[in-house]
Amino acid sequence: MTRQQVVIVILAVLVIIFGASTAYLIAFPPTAPPVTVTKTIAATVTKTVTTTETVTMTAPPTTIVTTMPPTTTVTTSVTTSVMTPTAPVAKEIHQWDGLTGGDGVVFDEIVWKFGNATGIKVVRTTLYWNDLYARVSATYKAGGELPPVLLMHTSEVPLYAGTVFEPLDDLVKELGITKDMFLETAWEGCIWNGKLYCLPWDVHLFAIYFRVDLAKQYDIPVPPPACKAYGLKCWDKPIRDRNDYLEWLRLAKEKLPPDIAPAGWTPGDLNNFWAFYGFLESDPFVGSGTEQDPKPDFTSPDAMEAFKLHQIMYEEGLGKVFTWNDLASCLCNGKAFTWYNGPWMQTTFDRLEECPYGVIPVFSKAGTWGNSHVIALTKSAFKDPETLEAVKLYLKYLYTAESNGYWGMHAGHVPVFKAALESYKSFSIHRAMFAAQAFDFGFRYLPRHPLIVQVGDILANELGALLAGQKTAEDAAKSTQEQVMEALEAFRAAKS
């Protein structure tokens, strides 16, 4: 096994796999009792890792990684007076989250610095995302005590607003945290029924990763703004829709040798779901309904064209199926020219010994689809003055240019705290491309509905069959519609 292959095996368990982005599942009580291990990271921060005996994964498995103490210093301009408690505070804050990959290491470093500045220990309980939602829901339904802090996704806001999540309007006013400090869409994603139920922490959008060296070697023009950023020949337009995407891949295929695939794909992966949504103008899950009362139509003209895109890629040899680990090896060590994936892959590629990759933003005419990590508080945050004061200090520390910027630079996600944007953009050209996608061209959230991940799993399997030539676009659309309607009917029946 080569050194790079060894690195990939290690990184495969570090990278965030759609926890970023899409592993937000409607919660059901876990079938196996949790096994909890508490790891002390430093004198001022403890991390509790909780798993269950059976974990159902929709992406490559991850493992829990801790660091003691942080390997990189988290710089901060927060003054000592701001971080010094002015009232009695709890000495410990508990937080549950799903940061089981490399981004969890970065968050460890941030809370370690917070502990050093305040003497307040942060105890993180980290689970796979589906297990996290199961535990949150089960604990709430049983009348148990939840931790003061939850790190989750915008997608869960309608599921937990007013029950698990407490409104934060009065608290943020007291702390001086205002809407104009954030990317507007991200702030609005935390609002439900007129109240603010969370604070956005980042945004994760999908873009096109590509091999810069192959673009140079085979004289392949690259869509703007990436071409200028990487000093490459420019294609005549940015990628704005599925037709642009196909046209550019066809051009790449003409120039590449037969053994290099224009695009790499992974079978049955939620990447396929994001790619499908990435080239939609409308939302086939919501259809003619609303987020909370959807009327799905996966046979609509818009949805059919997205299905056909995948069929065309198979028929014209524009895409090839690889394993996730192969694509994580800097796009199969050059055997794939592009890969559609999220910002967390930057941290994987950055750690490889040699990986000449670049990022091409996808500027959907209606706004690129995305999701966000968010910070939410439960009733436990308000149970006594000491806990509340500790939580206030924690929020003050997190929402600084330094903390949110560090998260973006080292975890890859786009920070939505505006003061952190410049440090993120200047960290690398790749980060600047993701920032352009989020801030310059805008984005929209995936449907905020508890079934969206189940819909994603259905689509991932159907699209995988398309890319393997096992189905036609019409068959995949019909099958998707039937499965989504069946799932929606079961969901509605369970609620009634």
Side-chain angles (χ1 to χ4, degrees):
M1 182 178 288
T2 67
R3 179 179 178 184
Q4 188 174 60
Q5 288 173 325
V6 172
V7 172
I8 287 302
V9 171
I10 296 172
L11 290 174
V13 299
L14 292 177
V15 67
I16 173 174
I17 309 299
F18 289 97
S21 338
T22 57
Y24 26 84
L25 198 59
I26 182 172
F28 295 100
T31 55
V35 179
T36 303
V37 179
T38 301
K39 299 182 179 181
T40 300
I41 299 170
T44 52
V45 57
T46 302
K47 181 175 180 180
T48 304
V49 178
T50 304
T51 61
T52 56
E53 292 179 6
T54 302
V55 178
T56 301
M57 298 298 295
T58 56
T62 57
T63 190
I64 308 302
V65 182
T66 60
T67 177
M68 182 183 356
T71 54
T72 308
T73 302
V74 183
T75 59
T76 176
S77 65
V78 179
T79 63
T80 304
S81 60
V82 172
M83 286 292 97
T84 301
T86 57
V89 298
K91 296 301 182 183
E92 193 172 270
I93 298 173
H94 286 257
Q95 172 180 306
W96 292 359
D97 61 62
L99 304 177
T100 57
D103 54 353
V105 177
V106 178
F107 208 89
D108 281 342
E109 294 170 352
I110 293 172
V111 298
W112 182 85
K113 186 70 175 181
F114 168 74
N116 266 3
T118 63
I120 300 171
K121 181 188 293 184
V122 176
V123 181
R124 292 180 56 221
T125 299
T126 301
L127 302 90
Y128 292 115
W129 288 108
N130 52 346
D131 290 331
L132 173 63
Y133 302 132
R135 184 167 177 179
V136 167
S137 291
T139 301
Y140 178 79
K141 290 174 183 176
E145 185 173 356
L146 290 163
V149 182
L150 295 171
L151 190 152
M152 303 182 92
H153 290 96
T154 302
S155 308
E156 286 78 64
V157 171
L159 181 63
Y160 293 129
T163 53
V164 172
F165 293 177
E166 288 291 299
L168 302 180
D169 303 82
D170 292 339
L171 183 61
V172 296
K173 185 177 181 180
E174 178 186 343
L175 296 177
I177 297 175
T178 58
K179 176 180 178 179
D180 63 337
M181 295 177 175
F182 295 82
L183 182 60
E184 184 176 1
T185 305
W187 179 274
E188 291 175 349
C190 281
I191 295 175
W192 193 254
N193 292 331
K195 294 183 178 181
L196 183 74
Y197 282 99
C198 57
L199 286 172
W201 181 238
D202 60 35
V203 60
H204 26 273
L205 312 165
F206 270 49
I208 298 170
Y209 288 91
F210 75 106
R211 290 278 301 220
V212 174
D213 58 337
L214 296 181
K216 290 180 179 178
Q217 182 178 353
Y218 297 106
D219 195 34
I220 302 171
V222 171
C227 57
K228 294 181 179 179
Y230 294 100
L232 301 170
K233 180 186 292 186
C234 283
W235 199 42
D236 60 357
K237 56 188 172 182
I239 293 178
R240 299 298 299 269
D241 57 32
R242 49 190 170 249
N243 292 325
D244 292 340
Y245 182 50
L246 283 174
E247 184 181 347
W248 183 64
L249 287 181
R250 285 168 178 147
L251 173 62
K253 184 187 178 188
E254 290 176 3
K255 292 178 172 288
L256 290 167
D259 63 334
I260 299 178
W265 295 87
T266 45
D269 196 331
L270 281 174
N271 281 22
N272 301 342
F273 160 65
W274 277 88
F276 179 86
Y277 257 84
F279 295 106
L280 286 171
E281 300 302 325
S282 60
D283 185 344
F285 176 68
V286 171
S288 59
T290 64
E291 280 187 319
Q292 293 311 297
D293 186 20
K295 296 179 181 177
D297 186 3
F298 283 90
T299 60
S300 69
D302 188 29
M304 280 303 308
E305 289 301 314
F307 279 113
K308 288 178 181 177
L309 177 147
H310 291 77
Q311 181 175 329
I312 290 170
M313 291 189 69
Y314 168 74
E315 292 174 344
E316 297 187 13
L318 299 175
K320 182 178 179 181
V321 174
F322 297 92
T323 68
W324 185 91
N325 280 350
D326 282 341
L327 284 167
S329 300
C330 201
L331 285 71
C332 307
N333 292 313
K335 291 303 180 182
F337 179 48
T338 68
W339 188 20
Y340 195 77
N341 212 319
W344 45 83
M345 288 309 304
Q346 297 173 94
T347 59
T348 295
F349 293 151
D350 288 345
R351 292 173 183 175
L352 296 180
E353 186 174 352
E354 184 177 349
C355 184
Y357 78 97
V359 176
I360 301 171
V362 178
F363 301 127
S364 171
K365 295 172 184 175
T368 304
W369 298 92
N371 203 3
S372 291
H373 289 119
V374 299
I375 304 290
L377 303 184
T378 72
K379 284 184 173 63
S380 297
F382 303 87
K383 66 181 180 180
D384 59 66
E386 290 80 11
T387 299
L388 182 57
E389 286 301 317
V391 169
K392 287 179 184 177
L393 283 174
Y394 188 42
L395 292 179
K396 282 183 180 180
Y397 183 81
L398 290 179
Y399 288 95
T400 60
E402 291 75 23
S403 294
N404 194 231
Y406 187 86
W407 169 255
M409 288 186 287
H410 297 282
H413 305 278
V414 183
V416 292
F417 195 64
K418 290 180 181 177
L421 183 60
E422 286 308 313
S423 62
Y424 179 79
K425 289 166 62 176
S426 63
F427 186 76
S428 71
I429 298 174
H430 322 310
R431 307 298 197 269
M433 293 297 97
F434 274 105
Q437 190 162 336
F439 278 79
D440 298 344
F441 290 85
F443 72 96
R444 51 186 166 164
Y445 282 119
L446 290 168
R448 295 187 296 173
H449 190 282
L451 277 186
I452 192 60
V453 161
Q454 190 171 345
V455 171
D457 286 336
I458 293 168
L459 270 169
N461 290 326
E462 294 297 326
L463 294 170
L466 265 179
L467 290 165
Q470 298 167 352
K471 283 191 174 184
T472 65
E474 290 75 14
D475 291 339
K478 181 181 178 182
S479 178
T480 299
Q481 179 69 14
E482 291 173 352
Q483 293 178 72
V484 169
M485 289 306 301
E486 182 180 346
L488 186 58
E489 288 167 7
F491 174 77
R492 287 169 173 163
K495 288 185 65 178
S496 62

